[in-house]
Each structure stands twice: as structure tokens, then as C-alpha cells.
Amino acid sequence: MASSRIAVIGGDGIGPEVCDSALEVIAAAGVELDTTSFDLGAARYLRDGEVLSDATLAELRSFDAILLGAIGPAIGDTRIPGGTLERGLLLKLRFDLDLFINHRPFHGQPGSIAEGCDFIVVRENTEGSYAGEGGVLRHDTPHEIATQGSVNTRFGVERCVRYAFELANSRDRKHLTLVHKTNVLTYSGSLWQRTVHEVATEFEEVEVDYNHVDAACIYMVERPSRYDVIVTDNLFGDILTDLAGAVAGGVGYASSANLNPARTGPSMFEPVHGAAHDIEGKGIANPTATISSAVLMLEFLGHTAAAAKIGQAVAADSSEHAGTPRTTVEVTRAIIERLV
């Protein structure tokens, strides 16, 4: 297979460290990648004000995939206005590259609440509350008015729901749960629920369930094994996947894929965790989530054998060393040793 061209955005904090580990594991698995590093994130912004220029975005479009480590300033650093990086970099990449699926798998680690569980959250990634609809009147006065809408289109909801059904249909349990708040968010909730019911007629083998998002949070803690594939909107998916990461053993194990299934541009793969500036440079960052995100990247690019091999090595390593403090190098080498 021809070498895939990968844009690497190491970003901030531990991001470059865990990206280096993932690339080292990929190379050890025998996959050749043509990588190009991009200096983007909080450090870049503080240096010269660059977030994501049109020229850089155009260059990123030419790659087969993007591997991202972590983006964000250290906690307490107020030099960057809130939302600058989130909206100007992460959401801009998702929206402009049409990464409309956020695919987040969770495998319960030994000793976790979700031990032995295997479920996936499919989050709509380009609409909802994060689309930016809203505004402010009389800013910073006693009479300030702030509105923040949720944008839900039939087109956007249906392509997300259809992806989730196809995914559920490919799995052993063939079970899909819609998570929303239809009893209060009656307009968007109705659109999501009607779309699920209509698409369900094309997937007769898939069992369909529904949970209010607050109930889903309870069930996720009490009995996460009830879930197979969850489909939900952008905001609920953002919150629910952080909870899922916690119950499955910690966000240090949680991977994600921002997908453009139509392949009209590169998809982006990143760990769920943040930049963790407090441990930057100490060599103790857990690279497992980024390595697992790289597995998703390899699968999407067609390197299925290598992806399966690395995935098995990660699972075996995590099972054997659950709860054992190790350095970044130790984790990386342990996974590589299992590839031989």
C-alpha cells in the first residue's frame, strides 16, 4: 500500500510527546507514513497570533489524515481569550473539513466501573449548540441578553444517524441507543427521534432504544454494559463521552476519530484528554489514548492488518498493567514489544 500522507499537529503540553509515541508504534508495526508537522496551538498563538490561517487550512486539505495531540493553554493562563483555540482551530477544522462524525470507542479497563464493556458513542460533530448560532445584546450591562441556539438540520442529523445504524449493524449486539432530551428540547428532539425511527426501517436487525441524557448519565455509571452504540447530538455527546472515559478507566485511554466518511477531505484523529501542562516534559504522560486514536486512523486509511495488530497489543498491555504507574517510554516500548 502506498504511503499515507499524515499532517501531525502535536499541539500543546503533552501533545507532542504522545504523538511521537503513536508514530513510533506505527513505524514498528511496519506502516510507512509520510508525515508533516504543523505548529499550531496555544504556544503558536502566543508567539505570533496565528490560530489557523486559510493558507494552512488549504494545505491541511491535501493530506490523507490529521493526527492531533492536544490543544490548549495551561490552567490559569488567561492570555488567550476563551474560545479562541476551540472555535478558531478545533471547531474550524471539524466544520471546514466536514468532519461530521465524532466516533469514540470505549473499552472498559480492568478495575474500572465498565470493566469488560465495549461500546461506541457516535456524536454529531458539526451542528447543534456548537454551530455558533446566537448573539449578545447590551454586553456587560445589568440588562445583558445572551442567546445560544442549537442548529439541527435533517441532512446533518440523518447522515449521523445513518452512520450509527451502519456501525451498529456491523457489530455482534446490533443495538443502538438514541440519547437526547426529547421531553424538553421538543423541536430538535423530535427531529432526532423521527429520523432514528425512519432510518431504523432500513436496519431491521438493529434493536433501537432511547434514553434521556440525564438518565443515560446514571445508566453509564450504574450499568454501562447496557450500551453498544449510542448516537447523540454535539453537546450531549461531548459531555457523555467524558463521563464514558471516566467510567471506562480514565481519559488517558480514550481515543476519538473526527470522520469525514465521504472522504472529501482528511479525517482527524485525537485522544480525548487535554494538554496536561502540569506533566509536560516529565515523561509520564500515558500515550495509550493517542496510540488507540492512531489505530482508528490506520483502520480508516485501509491499513487494517496493522491496525488490528496494534489494537491487540494495546488491549493486552492495558490489561496486564492496569493501574501500574509507568513512563511514556515504558508504555510505548511495551506495546512495541508485543508487535514482534
Side-chain angles (χ1 to χ4, degrees), residues 38-56:
F38 286 80
D39 179 16
L40 297 170
R44 173 69 184 275
Y45 176 81
L46 290 172
R47 189 170 64 250
D48 61 16
E50 169 76 11
V51 180
L52 178 62
S53 68
D54 291 341
T56 300

Side-chain angles (χ1 to χ4, degrees), residues 126-147:
T126 58
E127 295 189 348
S129 301
Y130 293 1
E133 191 275 330
V136 175
L137 293 174
R138 308 186 188 100
H139 179 67
D140 204 23
T141 74
H143 305 288
E144 181 171 347
I145 301 172
T147 63

Side-chain angles (χ1 to χ4, degrees), residues 169-185:
N169 196 49
S170 71
R171 289 166 61 84
D172 292 338
R173 287 181 58 188
K174 300 185 185 302
H175 188 278
L176 181 140
T177 304
L178 168 64
V179 172
H180 210 280
K181 191 68 175 173
T182 57
N183 59 337
V184 177
L185 304 178

Side-chain angles (χ1 to χ4, degrees), residues 24-163:
E24 187 177 347
V25 171
I26 291 173
V31 178
E32 289 188 17
L33 298 179
D34 179 4
T35 62
T36 301
S37 294
F38 286 80
D39 179 16
L40 297 170
R44 173 69 184 275
Y45 176 81
L46 290 172
R47 189 170 64 250
D48 61 16
E50 169 76 11
V51 180
L52 178 62
S53 68
D54 291 341
T56 300
L57 179 60
E59 188 176 356
L60 287 170
R61 288 183 187 277
S62 68
F63 286 83
D64 296 312
I66 301 169
L67 178 65
L68 186 147
I71 296 295
I75 295 175
D77 187 342
T78 59
R79 292 175 294 172
I80 303 178
T84 299
L85 297 175
E86 293 83 358
R87 298 210 66 86
L89 178 55
L90 295 177
L91 293 188
K92 185 174 179 61
L93 285 170
R94 292 175 184 176
F95 294 164
D96 286 23
L97 298 178
D98 202 21
L99 309 179
F100 62 89
I101 293 295
N102 191 295
H103 175 118
R104 295 190 175 184
F106 296 92
H107 309 283
Q109 300 300 310
S112 71
I113 295 173
E115 180 174 353
C117 294
D118 173 19
F119 61 92
I120 300 172
V121 179
V122 175
R123 164 189 170 191
E124 199 290 317
N125 215 28
T126 58
E127 295 189 348
S129 301
Y130 293 1
E133 191 275 330
V136 175
L137 293 174
R138 308 186 188 100
H139 179 67
D140 204 23
T141 74
H143 305 288
E144 181 171 347
I145 301 172
T147 63
Q148 194 79 58
S150 177
V151 177
N152 299 264
T153 68
R154 173 62 192 231
F155 171 77
V157 172
E158 182 173 342
R159 65 180 182 174
C160 177
V161 167
R162 189 170 297 280
Y163 176 91

Side-chain angles (χ1 to χ4, degrees), residues 88 175 206 272 287 312:
H175 188 278
V206 177
V272 173
Q312 292 165 4

